[in-house]
Amino acid sequence: MSKTTVKKSLEGFDAGELRQLILDIYTKSKEAKEILDFYAVPDIAKKLDEYKKTILKEVQRYVRRAHRPRIPRIRATIKVGILVVIFKRIIEQFICYKP
């Protein structure tokens, strides 16, 4: 489904239906829950610490007497961490913006 199709279908919803849809997505999707939790309470330092711990855990992963970090998992974590930093800067710009 394309973005325009989703936009058109969402235009027909009222506020209550949109709230219910967001709550359904929140309960069913781990990624959506993480994003909405961060949007509600943007604790950037805590989120970055979580990503640092995940990366450190993967780098120090030890299997059968050898270090075997899972590089795709490290890359994915770094990618999300970079998005958090970018989101932080956007929030700071909105907070400091005075029309």
Side-chain angles (χ1 to χ4, degrees):
M1 187 180 285
S2 69
K3 199 181 217 182
T4 55
T5 308
V6 173
K7 278 185 179 181
K8 287 179 184 178
S9 64
L10 288 177
E11 286 176 358
F13 288 9
D14 64 350
E17 291 174 333
L18 283 175
R19 279 190 213 102
Q20 187 60 40
L21 178 66
I22 291 171
L23 289 175
D24 289 342
I25 293 171
Y26 180 83
T27 56
K28 293 180 181 178
S29 172
K30 181 181 175 185
E31 292 85 13
K33 182 178 181 185
E34 186 176 341
I35 290 169
L36 290 171
D37 284 342
F38 185 73
Y39 181 74
V41 182
D43 189 3
I44 295 158
K46 178 183 171 188
K47 193 56 88 174
L48 287 176
D49 284 340
E50 287 177 17
Y51 294 133
K52 286 178 187 177
K53 287 179 186 177
T54 304
I55 292 171
L56 187 62
K57 180 181 175 184
E58 285 298 321
V59 168
Q60 295 176 343
R61 188 168 178 260
Y62 197 77
V63 178
R64 296 184 186 172
R65 300 181 186 170
H67 289 285
R68 298 193 190 269
R70 293 178 280 203
I71 302 300
R73 188 171 284 185
I74 293 171
R75 284 185 183 148
T77 305
I78 290 171
K79 188 180 197 180
V80 173
I82 289 171
L83 291 176
V84 168
V85 171
I86 292 170
F87 190 65
K88 171 189 172 195
R89 290 184 182 154
I90 291 171
I91 290 173
E92 289 172 349
Q93 287 176 359
F94 280 120
I95 290 172
C96 295
Y97 177 74
K98 293 181 181 177

